[in-house]
Structures are given as C-alpha cells and as structure tokens.
Amino acid sequence: MSAILECRKLTKSFGSKTAISEVDLKVERGQIVGLLGPNGSGKSTLIKMVNQLLTPTSGNVFIGDKKPGIETKKIVSYLPEKNYLNDWMRVHEIIELFSDFYDNFQPKKAYDMLKKLNINAHDKLKTMSKGTKEKVQLILVMSREAELYLLDEPIGGVDPAARDYILETILGNYRENATIVISTHLISDIEKLLDYVVFIHQGQIVLTSSVDAIRDEKGKSIDALFREVFKC
Amino acid sequence: MPWELNSDRPIYIQLVEQIALMIFSGVYPLGSKLPSVRDMAKEAAVNPNTMQKALVKLEEDGLIITHRTSGRSITEDAHMLEVAKNRLAQEQISEFLGKMQKLGFDPKEILRVIQNMVKEMKK
Amino acid sequence: MLRKLFKYEFKATGRVFLPLFASLLAFAFISRILSVFDFQQTFPVFISHTIYIIIMAGMFVMTLTVMIQRFNKNLLSDEGYLMFTLPTNPWQHIVSKLLVSMLWITASVIAAVFTILIITYKAGAISETIRGLSLLISRLSEYWSVSASFTIFEVIIAIFSTLTSGILLIYASIAVGHLFSKHKILASFGAFIILNTLAHVLVNLISLVIKVVPLANIHISSYNFANNLPAIQMALAFGIIIAGLKSAAYFAITNFILSKRLNLE
C-alpha cells in the first residue's frame, strides 16, 4: 500500500519569509507520528497545506497517492490549532453537520464521549468555556473513522487533567490501520504514544526515525534528544 | 498493577518485562485469557502498536499463546514458565553482578554481602 | 453536497431573516390595527410606522451585510478551516451562498410589498390590482406582436441575472482582497472598484463593436413605448447576456482564488 502522506519538495513562503522549505517526507500507514518542533518551526503550515487550507508555493503533497481534494478530505480528519466552530450552533447540530458531510462519522461515538464529559448536546457553543470547546472539537474529529488524523497542537495550553483526557481520547479511538500525526512542542507528554517522530526546525525536516530506534541506539528519551537537537 | 514506563528505553521492552512479572506473580494465572491488545494498551496508556509488539515478543518467548479465533492466553506449560522465570532471574543477577564488580567487589565478597542481607531480612 | 451546503447556509442565515420578517409583519399589522382604531394619524400610529420603516431598512441592510459576512467570515476566517475541509468543491460553496443570498433578497422584497399591502389595504384593493394588471398585460399584448408575458419574463430574468452578477462581483472582490496579506478589506474595496470599472469599459467596447445597444435612443414615454418594443426586447436580451458574461467572469475569479490561491492564516 502507498504511503498515507507524502511531501515532495514542498515549499511555502509568506512574502519574503520561508515557512517550509523543500520538505521531503513520507509517512507510512498504521502508526502514531509526532511532528515535533519548537514554536514557529512550520508544523501548522505543513499540516494546513495537507488540508488545502494553504496553497504551496512549490512542490506537492500526496495523501495516499492523491493530491488534496474531495477524495482526500473524505479520509483526513483534521483538528486545527484554533477553534473553527461557529458559536451559534448547538452541539447536536454540529454533530448533524458532521454526519451529513462525512460518511465515516460515527454520531454514537460522539454522543457517548460527550456524555462521559457531561456535556449537554443541546448547549450552544457560545456558552461553553474555551477548554470545553476544544474537547468538543477533538470529540468531533476523533469520532470519524478516518485513515489519516492530523492533530495540530491538541495538548497546547491545557491543564494536565485535560491533557490526560485528550491523550486518552486519541488512543481510545485509534484503529491500528489508521495513521495519526500529532504536532506539538510538548514532547514528554506524548512520547509514550509515538511510533515515529519527525523533527522540524525552521521549515526543514532535521530528523525522522522510529522511536524505538532512538531509545535503542541512543539510549535517550525523545524529549532528551529534542532538547539536544534544538538547543538554543 | 500500575504501569511504570520510562521514556529512555524502548517502551515495548518495558512492557514485556512488566507483563512477564504479572504472569510470574500470578496476576495473570496460567492458562488464563489476556485482555485485548486495545484494552491493554489503553490501560497502560501506550500506543496499541507498541503493546502488540510486546505481546509478539512474549509469544516468541513462549509465555503467551495466540489462538486463531479467541485471542491470546497465558501458556499452560508450567515448565515453560519456569524456564522464562529463570532466564529473567539470570538477567537480573548478571546485571547486579556487573554493577557490584564496578564497585570493586569480588565474587566471594558479593556472596558474603548477600548472605548477611538474607540473614538480616529473616530477623 | 450542494443540497447539504444549501441547507446549512439557509439555517445559518434564516436565524437572522426569519425573525426580521416576523417583526416586519407584526409591525405592519400593529400599524394597520392602530390606524383603524384612531382615524387621526396620532402618536402611536406614528411610532409604529417609524419602527416598521426602521425594520424594513434594517432588513435590506441585513441582506447586504449577511451576504458579505457569510462569505468573508464563514469561508475566509477561522470557520473556513471547517468549510474547506468538508469534502466539497469550492464552487459548491460559492453557489450555495449565492443562491441563499438571492433567496433572502427576493424574500425581503416580497415581505416589503406584502407588508405595504397590509398597511394600505382597502376593501377590494387586491382584486382591483389584479384586474388592472391583467388588463395591462392584455392591452400590451394587443399592441405588440409578441406576447407581453415574454417581455415580462425577460424583465424578470434580467433582474435576476443583474442581481447574480452584483453578488458575484462582491464575492470576487472579497476573494481578491484575500490574496493580500495585509489590508485585506481595503484591497477588497479596491478590487470592487477596479472590477466594476473594468466591466464597464469592456461592456462599452462590446457595444461599440456590435452596435446593438440602442438603449440611449429609447425614451420611455407612454407615446412611443409600444413602438419601441423590439428595441426594448433587444436591450433586455443584451443586458441579460452582459450580466451572464460578468457573472461567469466573477465566478471564475472567485472559484480560482478559493481553489488555487487559498491561504487561511
């Protein structure tokens, strides 16, 4: 089977500033991948190009051999780093929207998770705290049976309890043939989940490796290696 | 039993060790069924792929048997268990011996220290 | 997918317009009832009329505001992260928003006419109006060789095609503004002026070349109105074609930007 995600010489500039520079990357199916880099290293830019929210300056993105488009959007489930839900809808209306547009969305899964968090599906998003909105968004994204999950900073800026909940939700909904890409700079929190890591720095990939290889060969945690690679 | 995993060694090796310990200590009795990979992974808060890898290793070691239809169970072969237990014990002891040598103990001294400590414990 | 997008667009905008229509209707009724009770135009009637007019003005302002907001906010701000990751084509977003905008504009006009009728209604007025209209149509048909209903049909098409090109011009302007990393709103206004001017120049050029726009020669007065019918029909047809061409161009610009030059930051 083809790689679930492939970038070829992918480049993105904003004016004179280059955010992503000639990135070549291949992500195989059936693993949890950490896209790791400091703030401003180009993680979000890369993920947004895969989602067609940003247009590459040059180079290409392939998702299972296809260029981004309707077919890839059906199989990619994306959690942006910001809140993309309008605030006038009720939670159950958004669930209906997701089930309307995504064939692989499992409403039952979403309602079960909401129930566990005691979130009322008839509440409006307007009345919810920022943290609750983030959880609702994660629940929506993880209730899809997608082939590729792109989670942009899912644990940035949340308290440790929420962090545990988020990681548990990601793991609890992970299917072995799916691929999850998690971008973050908080490595120690997620490194136990990862199969594979991609280090990104100033728009360039500086290291790709399986996590066990790093621990075996270097006898280091990913966090320790990260601190070494990105030492200021 | 809480799972204790460090980040500087491959997680699957640590899982292998801890599951083996659970088998030896009877948390999972001989012949009993193991929970699904998913459930075990969720309990240990690790990636299911990693748990899968650990279980494959345990199977190679002969501690776990995979049934074609009904998942995995602990071996019923007490002898096999004994062998694995001994192997683990030997690993532990050789690691211990290595450290003691670094501290400058010769084998006789090591034995004496151990004997003394065992006596202390009995009291 | 288009149907689903249409449904959500309708929901998102309906929560603004339906209450507006309801309050417009309510104040039309209140004005009517008040004016029945006190024949002299007194203070309560004045207040009720004023509120009615304010709602009416607000309604038309809202058709424009909502049209711009739905395009700019729903597609080109944070909400766009969801809209553009739905498995739909950009053109489907444009068409669904266009159709829903046209729907509300039409509905607003109907609501305005209907409520004016409520306020000014006199016994027998409606049947009188209908009789007058049908008389007019049959008279016109007698004058002209072609049926008047065809001309009326043409007028309606002309109105809607002009409306379409107007809305699409606004979408295209916003989309062009999106290409700029700074001062997007200013750039949108600039794009609006430039696109509009460009369209005017092109239309003038075309009409110079094919010389079929005798619009300037038509003096609509009751005398020669009937005699000018072929010219009017030609002008209408020309207008429809021009609006269609403009719409196609604006649509192409918007669709190109949304599908090939999208940069949500």
Side-chain angles (χ1 to χ4, degrees):
Chain A
M1 252 216 209
S2 56
I4 185 68
L5 175 62
E6 193 179 351
C7 304
R8 288 187 207 148
K9 295 237 173 279
L10 190 64
T11 301
K12 177 70 191 176
S13 326
F14 296 104
S16 58
K17 196 176 155 278
T18 305
I20 288 285
S21 169
E22 303 227 330
V23 161
D24 285 308
L25 177 67
K26 224 173 186 180
V27 175
E28 300 298 335
R29 288 169 195 265
Q31 43 180 358
I32 302 183
V33 179
L35 180 60
L36 312 176
N39 285 327
S41 52
K43 303 186 294 287
S44 293
T45 306
L46 184 64
I47 291 181
K48 276 155 77 175
M49 280 194 276
V50 179
N51 281 305
Q52 235 185 0
L53 297 178
L54 285 177
T55 309
T57 308
S58 63
N60 285 306
V61 179
F62 298 92
I63 296 133
D65 271 351
K66 291 195 191 89
K67 287 196 173 184
I70 287 191
E71 288 310 310
T72 70
K73 284 169 187 177
K74 284 180 186 167
I75 59 164
V76 175
S77 192
Y78 166 54
L79 180 76
E81 88 272 45
K82 50 176 87 180
N83 172 30
Y84 66 18
L85 301 174
N86 55 56
D87 50 11
W88 55 270
M89 271 188 161
R90 292 171 197 280
V91 176
H92 76 92
E93 290 175 312
I94 293 175
I95 290 180
E96 280 153 28
L97 187 149
F98 268 68
S99 4
D100 246 8
F101 283 98
Y102 297 116
D103 295 338
N104 54 19
F105 184 79
Q106 312 284 323
K108 195 185 165 297
K109 239 181 175 181
Y111 281 119
D112 285 348
M113 284 192 264
L114 288 172
K115 209 174 162 189
K116 264 192 213 156
L117 281 181
N118 288 321
I119 295 175
N120 187 342
H122 286 275
D123 282 351
K124 279 190 182 178
L125 285 159
K126 204 189 284 179
T127 63
M128 291 179 177
S129 71
K130 188 168 164 277
T132 311
K133 271 187 215 164
E134 280 172 2
K135 282 177 194 150
V136 169
Q137 214 159 271
L138 179 75
I139 287 173
L140 291 168
V141 167
M142 292 312 295
S143 296
R144 284 181 62 199
E145 296 201 334
E147 288 177 38
L148 176 62
Y149 297 84
L150 297 170
L151 313 178
D152 198 358
E153 294 282 4
I155 52 170
V158 301
D159 61 77
R163 195 167 297 173
D164 284 349
Y165 173 80
I166 290 166
L167 295 179
E168 203 178 287
T169 306
I170 294 171
L171 263 189
N173 290 288
Y174 175 65
R175 286 157 300 113
E176 282 77 352
N177 49 353
T179 308
I180 302 183
V181 174
I182 303 175
S183 97
T184 188
H185 60 279
L186 302 165
I187 294 154
S188 57
D189 287 313
I190 64 154
E191 74 164 283
K192 278 176 205 161
L193 308 186
L194 302 178
D195 291 302
Y196 199 82
V197 288
V198 175
F199 279 18
I200 181 169
H201 188 43
Q202 294 179 343
Q204 285 175 320
I205 306 284
V206 290
L207 181 140
T208 58
S209 169
S210 95
V211 168
D212 283 342
I214 291 176
R215 292 190 185 122
D216 250 349
E217 290 159 19
K218 307 198 170 158
K220 273 182 196 136
S221 69
I222 309 301
D223 193 42
L225 183 67
F226 183 85
R227 283 164 204 267
E228 210 176 279
V229 171
F230 294 108
K231 202 169 177 185
C232 298
Chain B
M1 172 173 169
W3 300 77
E4 274 175 33
L5 303 166
N6 302 319
S7 296
D8 46 7
R9 289 171 59 221
I11 305 282
Y12 83 96
I13 293 179
Q14 302 178 57
L15 290 174
V16 167
E17 290 167 0
Q18 295 195 20
I19 294 169
L21 276 179
M22 284 193 248
I23 297 172
F24 300 145
S25 62
V27 175
Y28 295 126
L30 286 187
S32 66
K33 261 197 84 185
L34 271 178
S36 71
V37 177
R38 256 183 112 65
D39 290 345
M40 288 184 74
K42 205 171 171 186
E43 203 194 300
V46 298
N47 183 329
N49 295 331
T50 312
M51 183 58 81
Q52 173 78 18
K53 203 168 165 187
L55 293 179
V56 168
K57 180 74 177 42
L58 284 164
E59 203 182 326
E60 282 169 9
D61 293 349
L63 287 179
I64 284 176
I65 299 166
T66 301
H67 305 285
R68 218 169 286 153
T69 48
S70 54
R72 292 186 169 82
S73 65
I74 311 297
T75 177
E76 289 175 16
D77 187 345
H79 174 68
M80 187 69 96
L81 200 70
E82 217 42 55
V83 171
K85 211 168 168 174
N86 274 327
R87 195 177 54 237
L88 209 71
Q90 276 169 6
E91 275 171 22
Q92 292 280 325
I93 291 168
S94 65
E95 193 188 324
F96 164 75
L97 288 177
K99 278 182 185 162
M100 289 303 277
Q101 263 166 5
K102 275 185 193 161
L103 286 174
F105 287 85
D106 65 29
K108 265 186 191 168
E109 281 173 319
I110 296 170
L111 275 176
R112 205 178 53 240
V113 173
I114 293 175
Q115 273 166 356
N116 284 342
M117 281 190 78
V118 172
K119 269 181 203 161
E120 286 287 312
M121 275 167 76
K122 273 180 185 165
K123 278 177 192 168
Chain C
M1 281 302 164
L2 190 59
R3 199 184 53 80
K4 289 175 189 167
L5 284 176
F6 187 86
K7 182 176 107 186
Y8 282 98
E9 192 58 28
F10 185 81
K11 254 193 189 174
T13 47
R15 76 200 167 89
V16 176
F17 287 106
L18 296 178
L20 266 177
F21 293 162
S23 47
L24 191 71
L25 203 65
F27 275 94
F29 269 115
I30 291 170
S31 302
R32 178 76 202 170
I33 289 164
L34 284 177
S35 60
V36 168
F37 279 119
D38 55 290
F39 217 63
Q40 260 74 52
Q41 301 276 302
T42 51
F43 194 63
V45 178
F46 171 74
I47 291 281
S48 170
H49 271 149
T50 311
I51 295 176
Y52 167 80
I53 289 166
I54 289 173
I55 295 173
M56 171 102 88
M59 180 177 76
F60 284 106
V61 171
M62 278 316 270
T63 55
L64 186 68
T65 317
V66 167
M67 178 207 301
I68 293 171
Q69 272 287 80
R70 284 302 296 169
F71 192 84
N72 196 34
K73 185 155 177 277
N74 188 234
L75 293 182
L76 297 177
S77 75
D78 291 356
E79 286 177 38
Y81 280 64
L82 176 59
M83 297 317 282
F84 284 111
T85 45
L86 295 175
T88 53
N89 278 317
W91 70 261
Q92 291 168 318
H93 288 296
I94 304 171
V95 171
S96 66
K97 288 192 160 37
L98 170 69
L99 290 177
V100 170
S101 267
M102 287 178 66
L103 177 82
W104 291 124
I105 292 169
T106 314
S108 297
V109 171
I110 292 172
V113 171
F114 185 67
T115 50
I116 288 171
L117 282 179
I118 289 175
I119 292 175
T120 58
Y121 178 77
K122 289 195 182 68
I126 287 179
S127 54
E128 195 69 23
T129 313
I130 292 172
R131 208 176 308 142
L133 271 177
S134 54
L135 191 70
L136 180 71
I137 289 170
S138 62
R139 284 279 167 80
L140 288 176
S141 297
E142 276 169 31
Y143 272 122
W144 301 329
S145 47
V146 282
S147 81
S149 51
F150 177 72
T151 313
I152 289 167
F153 175 72
E154 230 187 0
V155 168
I156 290 171
I157 296 291
I159 289 172
F160 277 105
S161 57
T162 310
L163 185 60
T164 305
S165 80
I167 296 173
L168 287 170
L169 169 63
I170 289 173
Y171 288 172
S173 306
I174 300 172
V176 170
H178 174 75
L179 294 176
F180 291 79
S181 50
K182 283 175 196 162
H183 312 298
K184 287 180 195 284
I185 296 174
L186 200 66
S188 296
F189 275 110
F192 182 85
I193 293 166
I194 291 170
L195 283 174
N196 210 11
T197 318
L198 217 62
H200 267 296
V201 171
L202 284 177
V203 168
N204 285 342
L205 277 178
I206 293 172
S207 32
L208 267 181
V209 171
I210 56 177
K211 292 192 173 116
V212 291
V213 181
L215 257 182
N217 304 328
I218 299 172
H219 304 287
I220 296 180
S221 61
S222 52
Y223 267 135
N224 57 2
F225 180 63
N227 302 333
N228 274 324
L229 183 74
I232 290 173
Q233 280 188 329
M234 278 285 257
L236 278 173
F238 184 71
I240 290 169
I241 291 167
I242 289 296
L245 288 176
K246 280 202 262 182
S247 301
Y250 299 146
F251 182 87
I253 292 171
T254 314
N255 191 43
F256 174 78
I257 291 171
L258 292 191
S259 47
K260 303 271 190 231
R261 291 288 179 272
L262 190 69
N263 282 306
L264 295 182
E265 284 170 45

